[in-house]
Amino acid sequence: MPACRLYQELKRSLLVALWFIFLTFPLMVVKVDLVERVVHWRWKNMLFVGLAGFFFSFLGRWIMQRKNPGKALGKGTAWSLRFCPDPKIRKILIVLLLCLAVAFPQIFSSYQTTIMTTALMYVVLGLGLNIVVGMAGLLDLGYVAFYAVGAYSYALLNYHFHWGFWTVLPIGGLIAALFGVLLGFPVLRLRGDYLAIVTLGFGEIIRLILENWGEFSQGPSGISNISRPGFFGLELSLDAAILYIYYLMLAFVLVAIFIVGRLQHSRLGRAWIALREDEIACEAMGIDKTKTKLTAFALGAFWAGIIGVVFAAKTTFINPASFTFLESAIILSIVVLGGMGSIFGVILGAFILILLPEYLRALAQYRMLAFGILLVLLMVFRPQGLIAPGRRAYFITKKPDPET
Amino acid sequence: MNTTILKISGLSVSFGGILALDNLDLDIKQKEIAAVIGPNGAGKTTFFNCLTGLYAPSAGEILFYPGRDAEAVSLKGMKPHQITEKGVARTFQNIRLFPGMTTLENVMIGRHCRSRASILGALFRNAATRREEQEIIDTSYTILERVGLAGYVNELAGNLPYGAQRRLEMARALAAEPLLLLLDEPAAGMNPQETLNIMELIGEIAADGLTILLIEHDMKLVMSLCQRIFVIDYGRKIAQGSPGEIRSNPDVIKAYLGA
């Protein structure tokens, strides 16, 4: 950094510091003691604010400069590719991760296992929303509604008819998918912000119905004593049930990864991505927009429904408070943070967003603050998500005939 | 024998009170290269958007004859993807590629309406689906070779140079196996050499038996490539005929020079 540049940066940092001092002055410096009727002037705080403002603004700009020396935000290649370009090494890594996942409940306590189960649930939710938001590019802020539909399908069918977990699992998924189509129809013409608003409303409608239609859903008091998943008719102890649901979730995650992975590079997956990239061109190229959008909504909702059933079975108690907008926001953050359209990214995003707040408990009351700062930093430095989705490279092996 | 591929009669479009197209009659012959020209804002792109179903015409009829002895199909009221399936593909004036997809994938999207794989096929990847997928890749690659983009196969479409992007749009449209190809200003923004190359390409495509209707401002291209020219001004057809006739038509000169 040349001297005059350094001088300029220092000057700017100083201005930032002064501005912060001005902004925080009434809050940090002036303190009115109403009992003693005196004003305390805490000049020391002003010094701290100034120093911190100066330091962080300088640091921030220094980091930004190192990050992109005059270059616009690149379309970075996937991290996974950069880490292990050799597919053999990657395979070994995946096998190792799987072994770890299988052995996890044996190594750690049942408390840790429960947290991990939750994280795995969010992985599947993230993968489901990834179909809608990441691939098809339809910003859905009411995703939690489908999760609620799945959970309440199981809770109600179990409560009224004593249907078991395995019976309701596909039913819950299908009912949620149906709701996905139901939401999909009116929003076919909408795009971007408008779509986001309608889906947000949809999510709230579902929650409000569950909260207020007492005869149907038992209102805010919720439904309790939902059966845990059955294991060939055996009654499981609490510890065994935790273990069972953990492995169940692990299996679901693997199935979801498999399915989403296959869809991604299929005819349908390409149509979704084309829809995200340019809707008009997509139509003009012969893709049925209606069908493509509805399948995206239905498939995304299907996964949420499945996980809803698992959620109801895991907690054995549900009420509308579990399905607030915050949940939708968290699932959406998982997708955006991880990298829209990237399977590995979504998995990583789910682990970070679900596990980090748990392990940040050490920071007690500052944990949400720390979490927020982390999110902001991530979005500043990797706006495309932790792992940007890479497109598949095709290798043309067969030379076509020169005649054709 | 029927030599018409597209017959448009009385086509009108209005946006609010503005008549963008006013009672347009046009017919395009099988296997010809025809052009629609006219001053800016004359309604040329609106005309294309009507043909491809992006705008709904307020009056008139669009008949498409998918073969020499085929029954007429009315394109009016059809959805864009249905029209593409019938055999009318287009490119856009301001390039509309899928920038985040690779060059090959862009062309593969064009194959969408000529393939059938469903969700189940995608999940189980059965023999039929794999065969179809291979067919899509092979055909798309052949088309890319044809337009001279074989070197860009795995490049993101958004990173391609401008001229290549225009070619890629044509490749993508060709992948849908159209009978009638609509090109909206294929040479816009190109240098003379690139224009020559694109003219050559259009000529080659037409030689394969495709009918081509294009909008273009480059008169050199239009006059040397097209058999027939339609001139539109203020949404109305003011002239039609061979390049020679158009060049000497007083109405056309008036529309262009404002005299």
Side-chain angles (χ1 to χ4, degrees):
Chain A
M1 207 186 276
C4 69
R5 182 74 180 276
L6 181 71
Y7 170 71
Q8 253 180 8
E9 292 291 322
L10 282 173
K11 205 170 85 180
R12 207 181 288 171
S13 299
L14 194 70
L15 282 175
V16 170
L18 283 176
W19 178 240
F20 264 87
I21 288 172
F22 172 71
L23 278 180
T24 54
F25 185 82
L27 220 82
M28 302 296 286
V29 181
V30 186
K31 188 185 181 192
V32 185
D33 193 331
L34 290 172
V35 183
E36 303 281 322
R37 289 171 183 266
V38 281
V39 176
H40 295 286
W41 298 93
R42 298 172 298 175
W43 298 111
K44 224 198 267 169
N45 279 352
M46 193 171 97
L47 186 71
F48 289 147
V49 168
L51 281 177
F54 183 79
F55 176 72
F56 281 113
S57 102
F58 193 75
L59 187 75
R61 250 164 311 114
W62 184 66
I63 293 173
M64 285 302 256
Q65 214 161 46
R66 286 196 45 174
K67 188 184 136 216
N68 36 335
K71 206 184 88 198
L73 293 171
K75 306 212 179 215
T77 43
W79 274 20
S80 53
L81 290 175
R82 221 181 299 161
F83 278 144
C84 40
D86 192 357
K88 234 184 227 163
I89 300 174
R90 218 193 304 179
K91 235 170 227 169
I92 294 171
L93 269 178
I94 290 173
V95 171
L96 275 178
L97 270 178
L98 258 180
C99 290
L100 181 71
V102 171
F104 191 87
Q106 263 69 38
I107 305 171
F108 295 97
S109 67
S110 61
Y111 166 69
Q112 302 283 356
T113 311
T114 315
I115 293 173
M116 198 44 101
T117 310
T118 312
L120 289 177
M121 282 168 60
Y122 279 90
V123 168
V124 181
L125 285 172
L127 286 173
L129 187 63
N130 186 31
I131 295 177
V132 185
V133 179
M135 291 198 220
L138 306 161
L139 184 52
D140 183 352
L141 292 182
Y143 191 64
V144 79
F146 308 122
Y147 184 38
V149 166
Y152 268 87
S153 303
Y154 179 47
L156 289 171
L157 288 172
N158 187 262
Y159 179 78
H160 291 294
F161 308 110
H162 306 289
W163 286 12
F165 173 78
W166 290 105
T167 329
V168 183
L169 189 68
I171 298 175
L174 288 178
I175 294 179
L178 192 76
F179 271 78
V181 175
L182 223 66
L183 166 69
F185 261 114
V187 300
L188 276 173
R189 291 162 169 278
L190 302 181
R191 233 181 289 182
D193 333 11
Y194 306 101
L195 178 69
I197 292 167
V198 175
T199 51
L200 177 69
F202 178 78
E204 283 303 289
I205 289 170
I206 296 281
R207 189 180 61 82
L208 287 173
I209 287 176
L210 292 175
E211 210 151 81
N212 293 303
W213 192 6
E215 301 99 79
F216 172 72
S217 65
Q218 307 194 3
S221 53
I223 300 169
S224 50
N225 282 326
I226 304 166
S227 327
R228 287 178 198 283
F231 186 67
F232 303 111
L234 285 175
E235 200 58 34
L236 293 174
S237 67
L238 186 64
D239 269 351
I242 288 173
L243 215 67
Y244 182 45
I245 291 193
Y246 174 79
Y247 284 118
L248 214 64
M249 263 328 296
L250 195 61
F252 281 145
V253 167
L254 293 179
V255 173
I257 291 173
F258 175 78
I259 291 182
V260 175
R262 284 234 152 154
L263 283 177
Q264 202 167 27
H265 295 293
S266 70
R267 177 171 174 264
L268 181 63
R270 276 197 303 272
W272 282 335
I273 294 166
L275 192 72
R276 177 189 74 193
E277 296 283 315
D278 191 322
E279 212 171 301
I280 289 175
C282 176
E283 273 183 288
M285 284 302 112
I287 291 171
D288 186 347
K289 196 175 80 175
T290 312
K291 213 166 108 189
T292 311
K293 271 192 184 178
L294 288 183
T295 37
F297 271 121
L299 273 172
F302 176 80
W303 286 111
I306 293 268
I307 298 307
V309 174
V310 175
F311 174 72
K314 173 178 171 258
T315 53
T316 71
F317 165 75
I318 54 166
N319 73 348
S322 311
F323 308 105
T324 53
F325 170 67
L326 188 69
E327 288 295 306
S328 284
I330 287 176
I331 303 167
L332 187 68
S333 319
I334 286 173
V335 176
V336 175
L337 182 83
M340 286 210 267
S342 147
I343 293 178
F344 187 49
V346 169
I347 297 171
L348 201 66
F351 280 125
I352 290 176
L353 273 163
I354 304 304
L355 297 184
L356 217 56
E358 283 306 326
Y359 294 118
L360 281 178
R361 269 181 207 281
L363 298 176
Q365 54 188 318
Y366 296 111
R367 83 179 161 133
M368 280 333 252
L369 183 70
F371 185 58
I373 290 174
L374 211 76
L375 277 188
V376 171
L377 285 181
L378 265 169
M379 282 298 107
V380 169
F381 291 108
R382 282 199 70 84
Q384 70 274 55
L386 281 175
I387 295 173
R391 292 309 306 161
R392 172 192 265 190
Y394 290 90
F395 298 99
I396 311 295
T397 44
K398 202 186 80 185
K399 263 277 172 209
D401 296 337
E403 274 102 37
T404 51
Chain B
M1 200 156 73
N2 182 12
T3 55
T4 306
I5 189 166
L6 191 71
K7 188 176 175 58
I8 292 144
S9 43
L11 189 72
S12 300
V13 183
S14 56
F15 300 112
I18 298 161
L19 257 179
L21 289 180
D22 185 5
N23 208 8
L24 207 62
D25 293 315
L26 251 167
D27 65 311
I28 313 291
K29 303 247 181 310
Q30 299 264 9
K31 302 191 181 171
E32 73 173 342
I33 304 181
V36 177
I37 62 171
N40 285 326
K44 303 179 301 280
T45 298
T46 307
F47 172 57
F48 267 26
N49 285 344
C50 272
L51 288 187
T52 49
L54 293 177
Y55 293 161
S58 40
E61 183 57 280
I62 306 166
L63 291 177
F64 178 62
Y65 300 84
R68 281 198 180 264
D69 303 303
E71 289 280 304
V73 186
S74 168
L75 299 183
K76 196 187 165 193
M78 268 195 188
K79 291 210 171 133
H81 72 267
Q82 292 168 318
I83 293 174
T84 309
E85 221 177 300
K86 288 277 176 264
V88 182
R90 70 171 291 180
T91 66
F92 292 89
Q93 181 181 355
N94 21 11
I95 301 174
R96 301 196 85 127
L97 288 167
F98 309 118
M101 299 172 89
T102 64
T103 304
L104 187 70
E105 280 176 317
N106 266 274
V107 185
M108 286 165 82
I109 288 291
R111 295 297 300 161
H112 190 92
C113 61
R114 302 285 170 240
S115 48
R116 285 288 152 263
S118 65
I119 300 180
L120 291 179
L123 290 187
F124 297 113
R125 237 174 241 179
N126 51 344
T129 310
R130 265 175 300 164
R131 213 174 317 119
E132 191 185 84
E133 194 73 6
Q134 193 58 49
E135 183 275 327
I136 294 175
I137 296 172
D138 290 345
T139 319
S140 305
Y141 184 70
T142 314
I143 295 170
L144 277 182
E145 268 186 328
R146 171 92 200 266
V147 300
L149 293 176
Y152 290 118
V153 171
N154 289 321
E155 202 75 46
L156 286 185
N159 296 346
L160 254 52
Y162 180 81
Q165 292 197 4
R166 283 237 172 257
R167 284 165 172 272
L168 179 55
E169 264 216 315
M170 281 174 70
R172 190 178 63 179
L174 284 176
E177 291 175 15
L179 301 166
L180 172 63
L181 182 61
L182 308 175
L183 302 173
D184 198 344
E185 299 202 23
M190 286 187 162
N191 66 33
Q193 184 54 45
E194 285 173 321
T195 307
L196 276 180
N197 293 343
I198 213 102
M199 272 168 71
E200 209 173 299
L201 181 63
I202 295 172
E204 277 171 35
I205 293 168
D208 282 355
L210 250 77
T211 313
I212 294 174
L213 178 61
L214 52 87
I215 294 174
E216 187 52 67
H217 281 300
D218 188 326
M219 282 307 139
K220 211 176 81 202
L221 186 152
V222 172
M223 294 297 169
S224 61
L225 207 56
C226 300
Q227 283 110 47
R228 283 199 309 151
I229 298 169
F230 303 92
V231 189
I232 298 182
D233 195 17
Y234 293 110
R236 242 168 290 160
K237 187 174 79 179
I238 57 170
Q240 89 175 58
S242 68
E245 289 163 12
I246 293 299
R247 214 172 296 170
S248 53
N249 186 312
D251 288 338
V252 177
I253 296 168
K254 199 175 132 197
Y256 267 90
L257 299 179

